[in-house]
Amino acid sequence: MTAGDDSLRVMNIVHMDQLASSLRTRTGVTITPLASLQDVFVSENRCQSLTAAFRRQQQAPSISELIRLGFEPHFARLVPAELPRMVSPATGNGHSTSGEWSVTTVETTVPNGAVMSFHALVQYALDQGVMQLGAVGSPLNPFLVYDTGRAHFFVCLEGDGDPMDIARHTLPADSVPSDACALVIDTPITLTDGKKTDAIIVMASGRGMPEGETWAQAYRPKGLFQSFEALPFRQNVATSLSLFDAADANV
């Protein structure tokens, strides 16, 4: 046995003793041994599933999450205090074939304090998605954001909520005038070289435009041995259905 092997053995013994001591004060907590790379993948998938379940139950991002995403602290603190007023039964909740949902409305800070242009909105929406994933990890809470800075975070309460369906029902109920909006979701995509990657997808629409634009920002999610990273791929990848037209047809 080499000196290095002996050091690792001692380190393992010390670690196991500390772990056992910690578990004695935490009733009901158990450990999951990771004896292989497959065990690591299974554990990571389990963590992602627990995170997704938590997001589905979460009525809105927390104050600390909103602040890390770039919201002004006084706006972020309004969310739990003003939720009953900001999300009314008439406009804040709904039901469709995709399930039931709650919509939490937040006023974000618009760059330069002005209404954003269509293309500025696209980049702003992508940046907001990147900040959310960098701060709290995936999966991304789907949200709809306007050129005025108003944002609607979607929380599915029952069923498998389709963000596009929720957006179609939310737009007609919202009285804020807007010339552009963007729906932001999180989904895997296939790059031109055939590789699959996670990506923030922004489907942006302008009022009066026959079609919208779909943009993708590739990213590497937080994992057991890696941190979140926004990848260089950020491109206009396709056209999309106009959200305004879809909302008008839904009325």
Side-chain angles (χ1 to χ4, degrees):
M1 177 180 293
T2 66
D5 292 335
D6 191 51
S7 297
L8 288 175
R9 184 169 59 83
V10 172
M11 184 184 302
N12 184 62
I13 293 173
V14 172
H15 170 70
M16 295 305 294
D17 287 343
Q18 292 176 337
L19 183 60
S21 176
S22 177
L23 289 176
R24 280 195 290 270
T25 62
R26 299 184 177 185
T27 305
V29 176
T30 59
I31 62 172
T32 302
L34 303 178
S36 67
L37 185 58
Q38 183 61 34
D39 289 344
V40 174
F41 291 150
V42 170
S43 178
E44 176 66 13
N45 289 337
R46 182 168 56 250
C47 289
Q48 292 290 344
S49 297
L50 290 171
T51 301
F54 169 76
R55 289 295 186 201
R56 286 192 294 270
Q57 295 174 358
Q58 190 183 34
Q59 292 301 302
S62 67
I63 294 175
S64 61
E65 287 175 349
L66 291 172
I67 292 175
R68 288 199 298 270
L69 290 174
F71 295 100
E72 292 293 334
H74 66 282
F75 279 128
R77 295 189 185 98
L78 285 174
V79 174
E82 298 293 324
L83 191 58
R85 182 184 64 81
M86 294 166 65
V87 185
S88 66
T91 61
N93 300 286
H95 178 79
S96 75
T97 55
S98 66
E100 296 184 8
W101 66 83
S102 174
V103 180
T104 301
T105 303
V106 177
E107 302 291 345
T108 68
T109 303
V110 177
N112 302 320
V115 174
M116 293 175 280
S117 67
F118 177 82
H119 290 291
L121 172 63
V122 170
Q123 301 307 314
Y124 179 76
L126 288 168
D127 289 341
Q128 290 296 312
V130 169
M131 283 193 292
Q132 179 173 327
L133 288 173
V136 300
S138 58
L140 178 75
N141 274 315
F143 62 92
L144 179 72
V145 62
Y146 297 120
D147 52 5
T148 59
R150 171 167 288 193
H152 301 296
F153 287 87
F154 301 155
V155 179
C156 187
L157 303 176
E158 184 178 340
D160 187 14
D162 177 2
M164 177 65 80
D165 197 22
I166 300 173
R168 289 193 302 109
H169 285 78
T170 301
L171 270 169
D174 196 357
S175 60
V176 175
S178 175
D179 290 325
C181 65
L183 176 62
V184 187
I185 63 174
D186 184 353
T187 186
I189 64 170
T190 302
L191 302 178
T192 54
D193 60 3
K195 293 182 179 178
K196 291 186 177 181
T197 181
D198 292 296
I200 301 164
I201 300 296
V202 167
M203 290 174 282
S205 300
R207 194 179 295 276
M209 292 174 56
E211 291 182 319
E213 294 182 3
T214 300
W215 285 68
Q217 165 69 66
Y219 74 89
R220 181 178 295 115
K222 288 183 178 179
L224 205 58
F225 301 114
Q226 61 190 20
S227 59
F228 169 83
E229 180 183 0
L231 302 179
F233 184 88
R234 175 180 282 194
Q235 294 181 13
N236 182 352
V237 294
T239 59
S240 63
L241 176 71
S242 169
L243 289 169
F244 292 108
D245 290 347
D248 290 342
N250 191 61
V251 175

